[in-house]
Amino acid sequence: MILIDPPAWPAWNRIWSHLVSDESYEELHAFAKAAGIPARGFDRDHYDVPSDRYDDLIAAGAVPVSSRELVSRLIASGLRHRKRPPTG
């Protein structure tokens, strides 16, 4: 299932949502490609999508969930990919 959280993450003068799959990266990449989301929007385990795409992505089949539920489902799926702490 493709999940999206509410736009709440400010960066680059915009507000962003996260788009994830709780099944596979293949499902996520296929959905993103079909929705016209550029590959550069992928970050480890999710796509960052601007708030102006939120309603379009729900109409395309993404299921809106809270940010907490999105992370919980991503962890439960085994697809969560955390940033590694800096070494040195």
Side-chain angles (χ1 to χ4, degrees), residues 4 10-11 15 17 21 25-26 29 31 53 59 63 80 83 85:
I4 190 168
I15 305 297
S17 290
S21 168
Y25 291 126
E26 291 79 15
H29 293 310
F31 183 91
R53 295 294 319 273
V63 176
R80 178 75 165 137
K83 282 186 180 178

Side-chain angles (χ1 to χ4, degrees), residues 33-75:
K33 184 175 181 178
I37 299 170
R40 71 178 177 272
F42 185 70
D43 184 19
R44 296 181 318 274
D45 56 13
H46 68 276
Y47 280 88
D48 293 315
V49 293
S51 60
D52 60 350
R53 295 294 319 273
Y54 183 77
D55 290 334
D56 294 339
L57 294 170
I58 291 170
V63 176
V65 296
S66 69
S67 296
R68 179 174 283 181
E69 182 175 348
L70 183 138
V71 171
S72 176
R73 303 240 327 243
L74 192 58
I75 290 169

